[in-house]
Amino acid sequence: MTASEIMKQLEKMGDAQTKKTFLRHGAQEPLFGVKIAELKTILKKTKKNHALSLELYKTGNSDAMYLAGLMADETKITEADLNEWVKKANWSYLNEFAVPWVAAETDFGFELGLKWIKSDNPLIATAGWSALSNFAAVKPDEKLDIEKYNKLLDQVEKTIHKAPNRVRYVMNTFVICVGSYIKELNKKALAVAANISDVTVDMQGTACKLPAAADYIKKVMDKGNLGKKKKMARC
């Protein structure tokens, strides 16, 4: 399939109610409102396709950009590509999921995450914390900089209450991921989770809720899944 053919298919798949929901959650025009399950029917045909993913992301259409993230080849995408992508990721489905998911599956995702969290742009900083979280979730502990993750927990504890709204949300998720996926830092993450338990996030009228970090980590432990890694960040 070509990018042009996919765009026509996405337009046909667009759903008015889905578009309304996406817009309520912060999506920006242009978009058709294609359900994720529908996007994956296209992905089954294209598989991973580096060149096509770059074309789709450049369209600026939110549905196409999300599909590009699912389609991206983590072995071929470059740091420059992802830096360009994150600048154009204008709502949570892109800057908290699609782009950082791809980053986390690359070998350089950790370094990218560290760079992005320093940004003054909340959308990019959010992508950075998400990339670091997902990197911890998919990479074996022996390939992680445990000491740096330890210091990042300290950073979250000290700065989360002053961080922008959605950055607070993903910082909370970061604590959950470190506590759930990095055994060595489980106790530290639980301690940090307890100390930030009063953090609040404005969900802007949606039904979404901020997960209680400590409770979430404990549920992972109760299920015997502590340290169990994911095969891939994208889902």
Side-chain angles (χ1 to χ4, degrees):
M1 299 180 76
T2 66
S4 178
E5 290 171 337
I6 289 175
M7 292 305 295
K8 291 178 181 178
Q9 187 67 35
L10 291 176
E11 187 172 9
K12 291 179 181 179
M13 289 176 167
D15 175 75
Q17 184 56 49
T18 299
K19 180 175 180 177
K20 183 178 179 180
T21 299
F22 286 173
L23 290 171
R24 189 169 67 250
H25 281 77
Q28 305 293 313
E29 294 278 10
L31 76 160
F32 301 123
V34 183
K35 296 177 181 178
I36 306 302
E38 296 281 10
L39 293 179
K40 290 183 177 180
T41 64
I42 297 177
L43 186 64
K44 287 181 179 180
K45 298 177 182 179
T46 64
K47 308 299 181 181
K48 289 183 181 179
N49 187 315
H50 176 62
L52 187 54
S53 70
L54 295 181
E55 282 189 73
L56 290 173
Y57 203 90
K58 285 181 179 178
T59 66
N61 177 284
S62 185
D63 301 301
M65 293 165 80
Y66 190 92
L67 177 58
L70 296 179
M71 190 186 298
D73 187 333
E74 74 282 358
T75 67
K76 294 181 179 179
I77 199 163
T78 67
E79 189 171 344
D81 292 330
L82 285 169
N83 277 323
E84 187 64 25
W85 279 22
V86 80
K87 292 176 184 177
K88 298 178 180 178
N90 55 17
W91 73 294
S92 61
Y93 267 35
L94 301 177
N95 76 304
E96 294 180 25
F97 304 114
V99 176
W101 279 348
V102 179
E105 291 180 9
T106 68
D107 292 333
F108 51 83
F110 181 70
E111 288 74 20
L112 264 187
L114 292 178
K115 175 184 176 181
W116 291 347
I117 64 173
K118 296 177 182 178
S119 175
D120 292 330
N121 183 335
L123 293 171
I124 295 178
T126 299
W129 285 106
S130 182
L132 294 171
S133 297
N134 283 283
F135 197 83
V138 299
K139 303 296 184 181
D141 284 358
E142 56 267 25
K143 291 188 176 182
L144 300 178
D145 186 337
I146 302 298
E147 183 54 34
K148 186 60 180 179
Y149 269 101
N150 183 55
K151 291 180 180 178
L152 287 168
L153 284 173
D154 291 333
Q155 182 175 338
V156 169
E157 185 174 8
K158 293 177 182 178
T159 64
I160 189 170
H161 292 286
K162 297 179 181 179
N165 193 58
R166 289 303 297 186
V167 179
R168 292 200 299 276
Y169 186 90
V170 291
M171 279 182 160
N172 186 73
T173 302
F174 174 82
V175 175
I176 290 173
C177 286
V178 173
S180 300
Y181 293 108
I182 305 178
K183 287 185 177 181
E184 188 176 337
L185 295 178
N186 171 257
K187 291 183 179 179
K188 172 68 174 285
L190 282 170
V192 172
N195 290 335
I196 65 170
S197 60
D198 60 339
V199 67
T200 59
V201 173
D202 180 3
M203 294 301 182
Q204 300 176 322
T206 68
C208 300
K209 296 181 179 180
L210 179 73
D215 291 345
Y216 197 105
I217 295 170
K218 289 175 182 177
K219 287 180 181 179
V220 170
M221 296 167 64
D222 290 342
K223 292 179 180 180
N225 290 332
L226 178 61
K228 184 177 180 181
K229 302 288 183 172
K230 297 167 61 177
K231 292 183 179 179
M232 58 190 299
R234 286 172 279 187
C235 59

